[in-house]
Amino acid sequence: MSRTRPSIIVTGTPGVGKTLHCERIAQESGLEYISINKFAKQHDCHDGYDEELQTWVVDDDKLLDALEPLLAKTPSADPSSKPNRGGYLLDWHAVSLFPESWIDLVVVLRASSEILYDRLTSRNYGEKKLQENMDAEIMEVLLDEARESFAPELVIELKSDSREDLTENVGRIAEWIGNWEKARRRDAEIGGESVRGRSTGEDTAGENGNKNAEAITATTGKSKPKRKREGAGDTDEEEEEDD
């Protein structure tokens, strides 16, 4: 038996509203919200502090080891280990480190340059840190990373400039979650798991659920050449305010 609830990553440049979106989605859907910033600190998954950027640097290997029991379909090689049931909502800016088999949807939040600049300056970011984040958003670094790390049907891009955008986005994602779970139940009723082609590694319920991602946004498109993202493993204490 595979996941009965989807696991979702909400990603984007600091300041696009990841935390606020995740809190609202968790309230609407009942998914368990995991702030990777807090999780990494609680489980000692960092590798020192970057004084210049004023951030803790996350150790990706330690982070994945700590998350595996929650997110992996089979968290242990022990055949008696219970499979993961899903139902997690992750808030993080680095998605390429996560195995695709752990994740059912990747939501990339975007904000206009003017609005993002105002949000970041209100946090009193240093000039280097501010410019790096602005450049990452303008160059679509995190969107490109998501598209290159996950199948196109798993990645959606949503605008996050206003409270109206927040309300609309949360409603659409909650609807997607409901459709995904209906597909799971339907497959279970007709004889257990209905597996799609092994070449994609996705099952029918996941496919049906992910078709609904197209109803959330039509902005998947082709991947652009990947650009290097500096500070890929950084975590930022200030981002916990409203990332």
Side-chain angles (χ1 to χ4, degrees):
M1 177 69 69
S2 56
R3 287 192 291 270
T4 56
R5 303 213 73 194
S7 289
I8 299 173
I9 298 178
V10 177
T11 188
T13 306
V16 296
K18 297 189 293 295
T19 299
L20 196 53
H21 273 76
C22 284
E23 290 173 347
R24 288 279 301 275
I25 294 166
Q27 290 173 0
E28 290 283 335
S29 66
L31 296 185
E32 183 175 341
Y33 171 34
I34 299 176
S35 166
I36 298 298
N37 273 330
K38 295 178 180 179
F39 185 92
K41 293 168 190 172
Q42 291 168 353
H43 294 80
D44 195 28
C45 301
H46 58 78
D47 189 26
Y49 189 78
D50 188 315
E51 294 288 350
E52 184 176 11
L53 293 177
Q54 301 175 348
T55 65
W56 288 98
V57 180
V58 169
D59 183 310
D60 290 349
D61 291 333
K62 290 181 181 178
L63 178 62
L64 290 177
D65 287 344
L67 286 170
E68 184 175 7
L70 302 177
L71 296 172
K73 286 186 176 180
T74 305
S76 169
D78 182 352
S80 65
S81 176
K82 294 182 179 180
N84 184 278
R85 294 294 185 254
Y88 294 98
L89 181 64
L90 309 181
D91 162 3
W92 193 227
H93 58 263
V95 300
S96 61
L97 63 97
F98 294 104
E100 186 174 298
S101 62
W102 291 13
I103 303 299
D104 300 292
L105 183 70
V106 181
V107 179
V108 184
L109 297 177
R110 305 293 309 283
S112 67
S113 298
E114 296 81 6
I115 289 174
L116 184 62
Y117 182 85
D118 289 343
R119 291 175 182 173
L120 296 182
T121 53
S122 70
R123 298 181 179 186
N124 298 316
Y125 276 18
E127 184 59 33
K128 180 177 181 180
K129 187 173 181 178
L130 174 64
Q131 194 57 54
E132 282 188 357
N133 284 309
M134 290 300 301
D135 288 347
E137 181 66 10
I138 292 168
M139 298 173 68
E140 301 185 345
V141 171
L142 296 182
L143 178 61
D144 286 351
E145 178 182 319
R147 288 174 173 170
E148 292 173 9
S149 302
F150 294 87
E153 65 269 19
L154 299 183
V155 180
I156 60 170
E157 175 188 2
L158 297 177
K159 184 176 72 170
S160 179
D161 284 345
S162 66
R163 292 283 173 174
E164 291 76 16
D165 291 337
L166 169 65
T167 299
E168 184 175 356
N169 293 344
V170 170
R172 288 175 172 178
I173 294 168
E175 181 180 8
W176 180 90
I177 292 169
N179 289 334
W180 189 98
E181 292 176 344
K182 286 178 183 177
R184 286 286 180 185
R185 289 193 295 270
R186 184 170 61 248
D187 281 353
E189 289 170 359
I190 61 175
E193 295 191 6
S194 177
V195 180
R196 205 173 64 173
R198 290 294 181 181
S199 61
T200 62
E202 296 170 300
D203 62 32
T204 303
E207 178 185 12
N208 290 338
N210 289 321
K211 284 180 180 177
N212 293 296
E214 297 176 7
I216 302 178
T217 182
T219 54
T220 47
K222 294 183 178 180
S223 297
K224 298 180 181 179
K226 188 170 183 179
R227 302 180 179 90
K228 182 179 180 181
R229 177 169 53 81
E230 305 215 357
D234 294 348
T235 181
D236 189 336
E237 296 181 60
E238 295 176 72
E239 289 174 13
E240 294 174 12
E241 301 171 2
D242 175 15
D243 200 12

